[in-house]
Amino acid sequence: MDQAAVEASVEEVQLLLRGDGADLHLVDVNSKTARITVRLDLDGVDCADCVLPPDLLSEMITAALQKRVLGEFEVRVDDPRVV
Amino acid sequence: MSSEFSAEQIEISADPEALYALSLDERFGDGAPLLPPTDERVAALLDATTQDASTVLGVLPPKKGVLTIELAAINAAMAGVTPQAFGHVLAALEAVIVPEFNAFALTTTTSSVFPMLIVNGPRRDDLGIDYRAGCLGGAAGRGSMTIGRAVSLCLRNVGGQRAGETSRTVFGQPARFGLCFGEWEERSPWPSLAERRGFSSDQDVVSVHGGKGTFPMADVNNDDPRDLIQMIAKSIAFPLNNWYLEPTGENGQLVLCLNPMWAERFGDAFENCESFQEYLWSHAFQPIELWPQANQEILRTKDRVDAKGRVYLTNRPDQLVPVVCGGLGSLHAVALTSFVESEMQSMAVNAAATVQER
């Protein structure tokens, strides 16, 4: 997988999240398993529920990646709001 | 260079249509265009192995054709096999020749069965072995499309297998053109097929399965892994399965292609492959009442019905063989159903006799 394309996609979503004080970190890009792992950072966020809901966030990350990354991949979002 | 070859040689026009037309006229082709097995192409394949061109690999049924490395190379050249992948072709052919694979029955039966090749090992990506989306057809990796085809051409041209003549296959199946796919080992929750069959993860291994066809299943209604396995079990134990025609459930395997998402789900529920197979097997039966009276009598005569009136598909859990492959779209599984009278064989690609890089 194209690491630069993945990073650009994550940056796109970061911009959306930072407006609410949250952040998104790229944790791992594994071409062998076709898995991309990101982590939602809510440190310093007063209202976690004001950040994009987990399902919508996952959809937005996937959509951002699909614009730039060829082939099939699986996105894993480590979201502290999801137990 | 031509004097090095022992096979009959012919000269034809360089026009690609000429070889294609000749392959149809002389019936050494499979109906699709072939690459010309020129001296250079065949020599490149022979250079990829340290084995002598005259080395006999064995005898191919049904007409007991003697398969040499040279003949394998000629057919591999026509199929478009790269020198780097030629070792996989040889491994597959060696596996096909093992008596317990029962290639004579496979190539003469009325069944649609044909050798299906499953590849494990570190060179899957380098060779273009398909194991992700569309791996059973459509992914178009060169290794998958040519290795299987080379084996098929050897059975046709060396073994003399011809549908409607030496082979009595009623329908045939798309895999008779050649089916070769890999396991997505990195997404398997359990050791790979090759590891479970005694090889190490750093070995390139080809397994051959006598598969009757690709039997698709799908589910979107249940997220419980055990529920899903139960439904798979009932689906693969369909009443006209070959296993219910045979005298016993003792022989043969069914390969169950699991998509990576389902495999993960099953891996969470079953920490080892054996426990998964046990659970799958324990539900892979049908009640004897499912069959009409005439069938019931035959199944009872064969002692296939247990004390609870259950007719198990196979005698043992290990005959149901999971292989993780396919795309990330989830929802689907495919059973490569069994001819039954054929035992899966696995061969390591002879790394010492195969040139890795050219």
Side-chain angles (χ1 to χ4, degrees):
Chain A
M1 271 185 284
D2 184 340
Q3 180 84 20
V6 174
E7 289 173 0
S9 305
V10 172
E11 284 172 16
E12 178 185 321
V13 183
Q14 278 174 336
L15 294 175
L16 299 171
L17 294 170
R18 284 173 181 168
D20 291 315
D23 205 349
L24 190 69
H25 303 293
L26 179 59
V27 176
D28 186 46
V29 180
N30 189 326
S31 295
K32 289 287 186 184
T33 58
R35 276 198 188 111
I36 299 167
T37 307
V38 296
R39 180 171 57 83
L40 178 66
D41 183 350
L42 295 175
D43 286 354
V45 174
D46 294 330
C47 173
D49 290 337
C50 300
V51 178
L52 279 172
D55 287 352
L56 186 55
L57 174 62
S58 181
E59 283 177 24
M60 293 194 72
I61 296 167
T62 302
L65 287 161
Q66 284 174 335
K67 284 193 293 186
R68 299 179 178 86
V69 180
L70 292 175
E72 277 197 318
F73 53 82
E74 179 188 356
V75 181
R76 292 199 163 181
V77 183
D78 178 5
D79 187 331
R81 298 169 297 176
V82 178
V83 180
Chain B
M1 189 176 289
S2 60
S3 61
E4 297 174 12
F5 302 127
S6 60
E8 177 190 357
Q9 291 181 278
I10 55 174
E11 289 191 17
I12 60 171
S13 162
D15 179 355
E17 288 281 354
L19 175 66
Y20 186 27
L22 186 68
S23 76
L24 298 174
D25 290 344
E26 300 288 330
R27 306 177 68 221
F28 61 82
D30 53 16
L34 301 158
L35 289 184
T38 59
D39 290 3
E40 292 75 17
R41 282 203 177 93
V42 174
L45 291 169
L46 293 174
D47 285 348
T49 173
T50 57
Q51 297 183 81
D52 191 83
S54 63
T55 301
V56 174
L57 282 174
V59 174
L60 282 185
K63 297 182 83 172
K64 299 180 180 177
V66 176
L67 177 67
T68 62
I69 299 281
E70 179 181 325
L71 290 176
I74 293 168
N75 284 284
M78 290 196 292
V81 172
T82 61
Q84 291 86 350
F86 187 46
H88 283 65
V89 175
L90 298 179
L93 289 165
E94 288 180 272
V96 165
I97 288 167
V98 173
E100 288 74 18
F101 186 66
N102 203 5
F104 181 82
L106 262 74
T107 54
T108 56
T109 177
T110 54
S111 170
S112 55
V113 64
F114 207 69
M116 295 175 168
L117 315 183
I118 306 164
V119 176
N120 285 104
R123 296 173 66 215
R124 284 163 297 145
D125 287 316
D126 292 344
L127 300 179
I129 304 294
D130 298 317
Y131 58 87
R132 300 190 187 195
C135 62
L136 297 181
R142 181 168 181 172
S144 279
M145 293 307 294
T146 59
I147 294 169
R149 190 185 186 195
V151 171
S152 179
L153 285 171
C154 285
L155 285 167
R156 164 179 285 273
N157 294 323
V158 182
Q161 189 257 5
R162 295 278 196 288
E165 299 172 24
T166 53
S167 165
R168 306 305 295 172
T169 185
V170 174
F171 286 105
Q173 60 163 314
R176 288 192 170 225
F177 183 80
L179 177 64
C180 174
F181 67 100
E183 181 169 23
W184 196 343
E185 299 167 9
E186 297 82 359
R187 294 295 300 246
S188 175
W190 310 303
S192 73
L193 172 65
E195 289 176 288
R196 300 197 308 267
R197 294 179 64 81
F199 299 89
S200 65
S201 60
D202 61 354
Q203 284 181 291
D204 290 296
V205 176
V206 182
S207 297
V208 291
H209 165 60
K212 286 192 65 177
T214 55
F215 179 86
M217 294 164 274
D219 182 75
V220 294
N221 299 322
N222 199 318
D223 290 331
D224 183 88
R226 286 179 171 78
D227 285 352
L228 184 51
I229 294 168
Q230 287 183 32
M231 295 309 296
I232 291 172
K234 293 302 179 209
S235 300
I236 62 177
F238 55 87
L240 293 183
N241 193 303
N242 259 46
W243 260 305
Y244 292 129
L245 306 179
E246 298 293 330
T248 78
E250 184 66 21
N251 305 323
Q253 294 80 27
L254 174 146
V255 171
L256 181 61
C257 298
L258 296 175
N259 75 69
M261 315 308 276
W262 281 14
E264 185 175 0
R265 198 185 300 176
F266 297 153
D268 289 342
F270 297 93
E271 66 179 17
N272 58 57
C273 187
E274 291 76 17
S275 59
F276 166 80
Q277 289 173 302
E278 175 73 34
Y279 192 81
L280 177 67
W281 176 84
S282 70
H283 292 86
F285 68 85
Q286 297 293 354
I288 185 64
E289 293 79 16
L290 180 71
W291 283 272
Q293 194 60 40
N295 302 65
Q296 287 188 29
E297 288 172 12
I298 291 170
L299 288 164
R300 290 185 198 282
T301 301
K302 293 176 179 173
D303 202 22
R304 293 295 309 274
V305 189
D306 76 2
K308 295 180 179 175
R310 295 171 172 178
V311 189
Y312 279 87
L313 184 64
T314 66
N315 282 14
R316 305 182 313 278
D318 66 87
Q319 292 172 277
L320 307 176
V321 181
V323 171
V324 178
C325 56
L328 297 172
S330 193
L331 309 182
H332 303 274
V334 174
L336 306 179
T337 51
S338 181
F339 177 60
V340 177
E341 297 303 335
S342 171
E343 298 298 327
M344 178 184 284
Q345 303 296 322
S346 299
M347 286 283 170
V349 176
N350 188 349
T354 305
V355 175
Q356 303 290 313
E357 300 294 336
R358 289 176 56 82

